[in-house]
Every structure is written in structure tokens, then in C-alpha cells.
Amino acid sequence: MTFLQKTSGLIVSAATFGTIHYLFLRLPASIGILLVALLASLMVILLDFIAPGLGAAAVVGDAVASINFSEVLLEGMLGLLLFAGALHVTLSDLRQEWLVVGVMATAGEVLSRAVVGLGFSWPTGMPIVLALLFGSLISPTDPVAVFGILWQTNLPND
């Protein structure tokens, strides 16, 4: 599969998932598209179970395995996502509320790390230091998802 075919497939998949989410689910975008992607994955597994001769899971697995996700994410998508999120920030409003935003972001991040770390340590028996490290790795907030949720809530701009 060529680079153009992979890129086209990802764009068509994202558009399809977004359309299904918009027409039927109407959840917050990050949750809805995640559920649609999960449903698509389950459909590929079901198709492979029903008709194993098609090899649908192998084809999709090979396509996914051929993508270098760290390179695509860090060198391609992350900059665009952060830029898209930053376009919606009004700097004058941020300057006026910098203390509240800073305290809430810091406290929320520390609380999220503690909850995830302790919640992961308890059922797995992992040492608390490693569990808190794990919590630190997965707790940072996705700014694009936050902007999307805030935009959907129609908060006042004043």
C-alpha cells in the first residue's frame, strides 16, 4: 500500500466515523468517534470470524502495522492539532484569567495523576511509584478535546 493510499484511507475513515457520530450518536466528539472506531474494529473482527477466507483482520492489521505512529503523531498530527486548538484561544481573555486557569490546570493535572495512579495500583498490585508514573504518562489533558467540549457547551465569551 502506498503512502497516498494509506493517507486517503485514514481521511476517508475519519470522515466516515465523524459522519456516523454526527448523524447517530451526538456525543462529545472525542467519545463518539472513539465508539465508532471501536464498532468498526469489532465489525472487522466479526467479519473475520464469519468469513475467515477474506482475511479482513490480516489486511487491516498489516495496514496498521505498516504505519509508524510515533513519527506520524509527533511529526505530523500533533503540531496541527495544537495549532488548531490554539487558534480558538483569545489571548486577552487568557491574560485576564491566567491565575484561575493556571491553578485549575495544575490542580486538575495533579488530581488526575493521583486518581489514575492509585486506581491503577490498587487492582494490579503495582508499586505505587510506578503506578503514579503511569498516571503521569496518561493524565495530560488533550487540548483539542477540551476545546471541543467547551465549544459544544456554548460557554459565554465574556
Side-chain angles (χ1 to χ4, degrees):
M1 206 184 282
T2 66
F3 176 75
L4 183 59
Q5 289 172 324
K6 290 177 189 176
T7 305
S8 300
L10 287 173
I11 291 171
V12 168
S13 298
T16 303
F17 293 172
T19 303
I20 292 170
H21 165 259
Y22 179 77
L23 293 175
F24 300 110
L25 297 180
R26 303 242 179 194
L27 295 169
S30 54
I31 295 170
I33 293 174
L34 174 76
L35 289 176
V36 173
L38 177 64
L39 181 64
S41 299
L42 292 174
M43 288 174 59
V44 168
I45 292 170
L46 182 64
L47 179 63
D48 197 48
F49 180 75
I50 293 171
L54 293 176
V59 171
V60 172
D62 290 343
V64 170
S66 70
I67 299 172
N68 185 349
F69 281 103
S70 61
E71 181 179 314
V72 170
L73 181 67
L74 292 176
E75 295 180 17
M77 294 170 43
L78 187 61
L80 294 172
L81 289 172
L82 293 175
F83 178 74
L87 279 176
H88 300 286
V89 174
T90 308
L91 290 179
S92 61
D93 292 345
L94 186 59
R95 277 191 208 106
Q96 290 175 354
E97 303 293 335
W98 71 270
L99 183 61
V100 174
V101 170
V103 169
M104 297 286 279
T106 304
E109 192 65 29
V110 169
L111 181 64
S112 176
R113 289 175 186 180
V115 167
V116 169
L118 295 172
F120 189 70
S121 174
W122 175 66
T124 64
M126 180 180 279
I128 191 70
V129 173
L130 291 177
L132 289 173
L133 179 63
F134 175 74
S136 297
L137 290 172
I138 67 166
S139 288
T141 307
D142 176 13
V144 177
V146 170
F147 285 127
I149 291 170
L150 290 177
W151 180 72
Q152 287 178 343
T153 59
N154 295 323
L155 290 175
N157 291 333
D158 50 343

